Amino acid sequence: MTYDPTGHMLLTPIDNEAPTRVRRLRELGFGEQPDPAFDEFARRLAEVTGAPFSMVNFIDENRQFFAGLHTPAGTHSGSDLGAAAAGSGGVGRYMARDHGYCPHVVVRRKALVLEDVCDYPRFAGNPVVDEIGIRSYMGAPLIDRTGVALGTICVVDTDVHPWGRVGLETIKTMAAELVEQIHRREDGMI
């Protein structure tokens, strides 16, 4: 575990790859604007997993940006989840880096399934539990051809959700699918 200088456990992992990721995201043109293709991917991800909220999330040194966002109402902006996560009442596309679980997925570079976040002391104390009411999370990293973890795809629920092995395989498969879409876009094929 990592501790801050005062001896307290850090809830957000140290991310030494962030500067490289930011450069790569800029090369790709990701991380600043919502993307209709990513919104559609998030919608499909929610449908496949049965989750009410889903995101395509790119992470820099200080924040997370939901380039793709789906909410229960099917909207892409102004969602309760995103607005609460942003803490601003804004459109809900940004969230502080120390909120949520995607930074763990990016640093670990592997999928994370939390059927009930309250079962894990390290994750139960995350601000999204009290501020937004998140109870379940499932995410997988988006690792591109250069080996950079650009961000994640993830789904969350305000109820306990038994994702199971099927959920894990689904999120990993869909992450690989989105990485291929990103590569095709970079190659000018989309």
Side-chain angles (χ1 to χ4, degrees), residues 146-163:
T146 68
V148 173
L150 302 172
T152 68
I153 61 168
C154 68
V155 294
V156 296
D157 201 331
T158 54
D159 293 319
V160 172
H161 196 114
W163 309 109

Side-chain angles (χ1 to χ4, degrees), residues 38-56 68-76 81 138 153-157 161 163 167 170-171 174 177:
F38 293 152
D39 281 339
E40 174 55 25
F41 186 90
R43 184 203 61 75
R44 204 164 51 83
L45 179 61
E47 183 179 294
V48 168
T49 61
F53 298 95
S54 60
M55 288 73 86
V56 174
L69 176 64
H70 177 79
T71 68
T75 59
H76 310 307
L81 173 72
M138 181 169 59
I153 61 168
C154 68
V155 294
V156 296
D157 201 331
H161 196 114
W163 309 109
T170 298
I171 199 89
M174 291 197 72
E177 179 183 318

Side-chain angles (χ1 to χ4, degrees), residues 127-142:
V128 298
V129 175
D130 293 331
E131 293 175 20
I132 305 170
I134 299 302
R135 284 300 296 272
S136 292
Y137 170 90
M138 181 169 59
L142 298 170

